[in-house]
Amino acid sequence: MTGSHDSSHRDRSPHDTRPSVAGGAIPIPGDASRERRESEVVEVPATRSQISDAAQFMHNLSLSPSMKERRPSRNSFGTSLPIPRSPRRSRLSSVYTAEDGRTLSASVTRDILASQVQDMAKEKVQAAKNMAFAFDIDGVLAHGNELIPEAAEALKMLNGDNELGIKIPYILLTNGGGKTEEERCAQLSNILGVPISTNQFIQSHTPMQALAEYYETVLVLGGEGFKVRDCAESYGFKNVVHPKDILAWDPTISPWRNFTPEERAQARPRDFSKIKFDAILVFADSRDYATDMQLIIDLLLSENGRLLTRAKDPVASRIPIYFSQGDLHFPTDHKGPPRLTQGAFRIAIEAQYKALTGVDLERVVYGKPELATYKYADEVLKAWMEEIHNENRIPQNIYMIGDNPASDIIGGNMYGWNTCLVRTGVFKGEGNDPHNPASFGVFDNVLEAVKAAVRKELGKEFKFKWNDKINPVLHGDGDVTAAVE
Ligand code: G3P
Ligand code: MG
């Protein structure tokens, strides 16, 4: 069991460079440029207050959190989770282009008509801009690369296919990850059939870009091929090392490695005996558990992050480890129950570390339901509102639509959002979830949830279709659904 939780450790900032002691916060090295960092990142305390005082529960925190048991976090100690002060803006103007000129001119015509319709329905327009959605992806909009059919209609409606022709703001908030935001949004645009901008998208590791201010050399793990390396570099990490870079230097480091000649060709071997790692970042599901676990344990037990060494006091000289999310399982195209994911991998690491050292592993977990992720979501939502409606503010009525009570729903509830649980993913129950009940309700699919929320905010009669034949001049009596025959 980890040692004491005296108050001096509870609210330690990651800037605190005092040596890590059992039960204390993860120290972040290199405090010299603190002033510069403070202008670029915000440190959000781990949401863990009740838990951190209960040291006897620490090792149980690997279990799903439950509101019923009043365990609101998977972060078990007093560190902070840095997030970017403002959202990263897309480097692409668009990730989705209209297929032909005809589509484009139709949409210009619609925009003109829609603005006339909106001029005559000001109250509804205000209500439409005062609500927003945060969508989970896996189990709500898609299963892997397979669209959940109702999602396409829901997003089309929010993109303007509604009686006002207005965009109702939404963001995607997923615990998925493993590739750059640009690549994932392009892929999602194709799957969902609507344009998804990186400016309305947060994946599990997106807020972790703030850590680039703190760490120079990082081991980044998970995902397909070398994609997490590109991703970490796009976040500004200077020296990014992928496990396969290390295998290319010394394949014997992992006896049960999975390493192809193609991967060997893409790897960047260096003399890793001379390199000091500053942190370990798990961005996505491991595709080679044996190698990834071996390297993580090697570094956690090393003398200050140097491979091939073993520390005399592994706790005092341990480098920090971050996981991008904590879900235990997620829905896939598999016909049976949901499949294990990053949270299960983390539990295995924690167990190995405990068995080898006798102490609990301190670690930071980002993603839903962590407070930092929701705070970052607010920033993204505000910037997205500015982009689509020129209003830099957070709408008041936010609806989180998710399939995982222990992630989407508990996080949304704790953050004060309305929560909708759908039955197309992890949750398949009849009524509401008994541990983390959705505050707005349970729905068969995302379209039903979206319709219920829009009706609540914009009226029961709100039409989920744009009428191309509308003539606002002839029908300027508030009945914006009237058509020209
Ligand atoms: O937990 C794995 C991840 O794929 C879940 O994604 O979209 O359901 O948060 P999402
Ligand atoms: Mg999900």
Side-chain angles (χ1 to χ4, degrees), residues 115-176:
S115 75
Q116 292 170 349
V117 168
Q118 287 166 27
D119 274 349
M120 284 181 286
K122 288 207 163 61
E123 267 183 37
K124 262 192 210 177
V125 166
Q126 274 319 105
K129 290 179 182 173
N130 207 21
M131 74 178 303
F133 290 90
F135 291 109
D136 174 79
I137 296 178
D138 279 320
V140 171
L141 303 179
H143 288 137
N145 289 335
E146 252 175 60
L147 173 74
I148 294 177
E150 292 84 2
E153 192 180 331
L155 297 186
K156 230 173 116 206
M157 193 276 288
L158 297 179
N159 276 0
D161 191 11
N162 57 57
E163 68 171 50
L164 297 173
I166 196 167
K167 282 188 198 312
I168 298 176
Y170 66 88
I171 59 169
L172 308 190
L173 184 58
T174 178
N175 271 356

Side-chain angles (χ1 to χ4, degrees), residues 169-191:
Y170 66 88
I171 59 169
L172 308 190
L173 184 58
T174 178
N175 271 356
K179 53 188 75 156
T180 63
E181 282 72 14
E182 285 78 10
E183 183 177 350
R184 182 62 175 143
C185 285
Q187 187 188 21
L188 281 169
S189 301
N190 286 329
I191 295 171

Side-chain angles (χ1 to χ4, degrees), residues 48-66:
R48 48 83 223 182
S49 50
Q50 293 98 327
I51 309 162
S52 64
D53 294 332
Q56 70 271 24
F57 295 139
M58 277 194 66
H59 209 57
N60 294 335
L61 291 170
S62 300
L63 302 172
S64 298
S66 158

Side-chain angles (χ1 to χ4, degrees), residues 321-396:
I321 180 164
Y322 292 84
F323 294 88
S324 71
Q325 56 106 344
D327 290 351
L328 286 179
H329 50 213
F330 75 123
T332 66
D333 50 5
H334 176 61
K335 290 193 177 50
R339 303 291 84 195
L340 296 173
T341 180
Q342 203 190 123
F345 177 80
R346 188 194 76 241
I347 290 168
I349 294 285
E350 288 170 352
Q352 290 162 14
Y353 185 83
K354 172 97 176 179
L356 289 163
T357 65
V359 295
D360 289 319
L361 176 65
E362 293 171 15
R363 73 288 186 275
V364 178
V365 185
Y366 274 80
K368 296 171 289 184
E370 190 52 47
L371 176 66
T373 291
Y374 290 82
K375 280 200 180 293
Y376 185 66
D378 264 353
E379 292 306 307
V380 171
L381 204 43
K382 199 161 50 167
W384 184 242
M385 269 292 287
E386 180 161 33
E387 187 164 334
I388 64 171
H389 289 310
N390 211 16
E391 293 180 22
N392 187 270
R393 64 180 178 87
I394 304 167
Q396 278 175 319

